[in-house]
Amino acid sequence: MTQRPNQRVLTGITTTGTLHLGNYVGAIRPAIAASREAGVESFFFMADYHALIKCDDPERINRSRLEIAATWLAAGLDTSRVTFYRQSDIPEIPELTWLLTCVTSKGQMNRAHAYKAATDANAAAGEDLDAGVTMGLYSYPILMAADILMFNAHRVPVGRDQVQHIEMARDVAQRFNHLFGQGKEFFVLPEANVEEDVALLPGLDGRKMSKSYDNSIPLFEGGAKGLKEAIARIVTDSKLPGEPKDPEGQALVTIYDAFATAAQREKFRADLRAGLAWGEAKQQLFDLIEAEIAPLRSRYESLMAHPERIEATLMEGAAKARAIAAPLLAELRQAVGLRSFAARVEAPAPVKAAKAALPVFKQYREADGLFYFKLNGADGHLLLQSQGFAGGREAGQWVARLKREGAAALAEAPLHVAEGVAAADVAAALAALQAAEAA
Ligand code: TRP
């Protein structure tokens, strides 16, 4: 399949805590590489509103978003190509969140993984199901949908745990389009991109590298020394130097792979099979990672020494992002009915439901000098035709009586039913007029 031009790719990173090597290998490095592809328009942002859901320590919130911004910039993000911003600098996002909240079914939110996990844990502990659950946690997927839909992203690279959220964003987009679009698609339906071939970096103990397992290797924290010490703690088997070692399934080897060329990988494996000592293997791993990370670290350190530069970069990013978000939001406000009263160009007023059309009596004078009346059906065709009257008054009195009494007055009235018209249709027409008269 050929790629459509200007695919929009968007991803957010929740700003709690500091980044580790797994974040770099699994998210930052591939995202930056992808942003350099032709035909791709990338949006990367700090999900700092999402961070507030998990953390109520202001210092930590602020520190983390600064560090994460510096990390992305140090890793080579080109902000002239990529729109890079803080979620909290885009007021259109929480505004869109509310518009979406109003069309999101609560039942669907009940099934969101993060919320389900919390209620399941509460149930297991015999607690109230919603104990400790904030509305922020509950509505988390709607804020995330707004992040994505605000910029009409086609693709959202995420971890597997986030796929459900992208599906929810699609649902709510579809619902909004359907309710308010009047044939127009305000929102692109986003697709999750789960990178199958980006290795999940194992941690020190071989499980997935994660802060919550306390098994991570810091990216910049602690400098080269910190990196070296962490690598020294990678768990290996207890084979002695000189003993042949099986490289497969070793966390150390998988981490090595994430930074090595194909040739280096092959040599590393061969050396281990030939008895390379674990201590020496760790030194080689350190050298390999350090070669890639050291230049980033020094850029990171100089950025961290000048937070005002990061601030300026992010404000430029926010301006770029808002140039897209604001017009779309203005359109959405119109669509849902939040419109200016003073606007000169009003959206066309909805056509009022036409009054139920009624049959009509018409009075007129013919060339013979006589006065006549007739009854036309609601659709305009002739139902009744009177005879001629000498005076208009007399004709008018018959019309009034027919309106009042309906079909009951028919027998006496000096008129005839038009050709081909059923008596029942005449009766129905007169009944409709009678009802209107009585109303
Ligand atoms: N929820 C995501 C995470 O925890 C972060 C995030 C917030 C995000 N908004 C987003 C990711 C929009 C992709 C798109 O990883």
Side-chain angles (χ1 to χ4, degrees):
M1 208 180 78
T2 54
Q3 204 177 35
R4 280 167 291 172
N6 276 340
Q7 282 270 302
R8 280 201 181 157
V9 178
L10 173 145
T11 198
I13 180 156
T14 306
T15 51
T16 42
T18 30
L19 296 176
H20 53 62
L21 215 55
N23 300 130
Y24 172 73
V25 168
I28 299 172
R29 197 174 60 180
I32 290 177
S35 77
R36 298 199 172 115
E37 282 169 32
V40 169
E41 202 182 335
S42 296
F43 294 75
F44 296 141
F45 68 96
M46 259 75 57
D48 48 3
Y49 278 141
H50 279 106
L52 294 179
I53 294 168
K54 303 183 187 168
C55 173
D56 59 7
D57 175 352
E59 287 313 316
R60 193 160 159 220
I61 289 285
N62 198 41
R63 178 88 192 159
S64 172
R65 62 217 268 279
L66 175 64
E67 285 179 356
I68 290 176
T71 303
W72 280 83
L73 293 171
L77 188 75
D78 177 356
T79 55
S80 68
R81 293 193 52 140
V82 171
T83 307
F84 184 55
Y85 54 97
R86 286 174 293 214
Q87 184 186 32
S88 63
D89 285 330
I90 317 296
E92 288 80 7
I93 291 175
E95 209 174 329
L96 175 57
T97 301
W98 184 251
L99 300 188
L100 299 178
T101 300
C102 294
V103 301
T104 302
S105 76
K106 177 173 178 288
Q108 190 176 29
M109 292 300 101
N110 291 342
R111 294 186 288 275
H113 293 325
Y115 174 66
K116 278 271 296 151
T119 53
D120 288 351
N122 282 334
E127 297 256 18
D128 181 280
L129 281 189
D130 282 328
V133 175
T134 63
M135 287 307 295
L137 174 66
Y138 190 68
S139 308
Y140 181 110
I142 312 178
L143 177 57
M144 184 159 160
D147 290 333
I148 298 167
L149 302 180
M150 187 87 265
F151 299 99
N152 275 323
H154 301 96
R155 289 196 275 138
V156 185
V158 284
R160 199 171 299 287
D161 59 323
Q162 298 291 320
V163 171
Q164 186 198 35
H165 294 150
I166 313 298
E167 274 155 18
M168 290 176 162
R170 288 174 69 90
D171 278 1
V172 70
Q174 243 161 339
R175 186 159 171 71
F176 194 98
N177 282 341
H178 175 71
L179 283 173
F180 300 112
Q182 300 195 304
K184 176 168 180 178
E185 310 272 296
F186 288 119
F187 299 128
V188 163
L189 305 184
E191 270 169 45
N193 254 195
V194 180
E195 289 282 355
E196 304 289 353
D197 51 340
V198 165
L200 269 186
L201 209 63
L204 301 175
D205 56 1
R207 291 185 294 170
K208 175 190 168 194
M209 189 180 293
S210 161
K211 216 153 295 141
S212 43
Y213 294 154
D214 196 23
N215 65 354
S216 54
I217 300 176
L219 180 55
F220 299 136
E221 224 182 3
K225 187 162 168 278
L227 179 61
K228 190 158 199 160
E229 284 166 2
I231 288 172
R233 287 186 288 121
I234 296 174
V235 176
T236 59
D237 63 31
S238 48
K239 297 237 163 70
L240 298 172
E243 262 188 277
K245 299 173 181 68
D246 179 8
E248 300 317 319
Q250 291 288 335
L252 185 125
V253 177
T254 311
I255 297 171
Y256 188 95
D257 285 351
F259 292 86
T261 64
Q264 286 172 317
R265 289 178 198 173
E266 219 170 289
K267 173 155 196 318
F268 195 56
R269 282 171 167 69
D271 289 349
L272 283 168
R273 287 201 185 91
L276 180 72
W278 285 124
E280 177 55 27
K282 286 179 173 179
Q283 179 62 43
Q284 288 186 18
L285 174 61
F286 169 77
D287 292 339
L288 183 70
I289 298 178
E290 182 62 7
E292 180 167 334
I293 294 299
L296 276 59
R297 187 190 300 118
S298 79
R299 258 179 281 163
Y300 176 79
E301 279 160 7
S302 61
L303 280 161
M304 288 299 282
H306 291 283
E308 76 287 354
R309 291 185 194 157
I310 301 176
E311 180 72 25
T313 302
L314 288 171
M315 290 320 284
E316 276 172 37
K320 260 174 35 181
R322 293 191 69 193
I324 296 170
L328 176 55
L329 189 72
E331 227 188 309
L332 301 176
R333 291 178 59 103
Q334 285 287 323
V336 300
L338 304 175
R339 300 171 189 155
S340 164
F341 294 149
R344 290 222 209 125
V345 194
E346 277 289 352
V351 184
K352 278 210 198 99
K355 256 200 221 153
L358 284 174
V360 248
F361 276 108
K362 291 205 166 138
Q363 296 182 55
Y364 54 98
R365 198 174 180 184
E366 283 284 25
D368 60 7
L370 296 178
F371 294 85
Y372 295 80
F373 69 84
K374 63 181 178 180
L375 177 64
N376 284 340
D379 58 1
H381 79 264
L382 183 69
L383 297 175
L384 296 176
Q385 173 64 63
S386 77
Q387 63 173 57
F389 300 96
R393 224 174 136 219
E394 210 187 336
Q397 281 168 348
W398 276 110
V399 169
R401 193 172 154 196
L402 284 161
K403 282 187 183 170
R404 217 170 40 241
E405 298 174 19
L410 264 186
E412 287 176 45
L415 50 72
H416 64 267
V417 173
E419 224 184 272
V421 171
D425 289 347
V426 175
L430 288 170
L433 281 174
Q434 225 184 336
E437 195 79 348

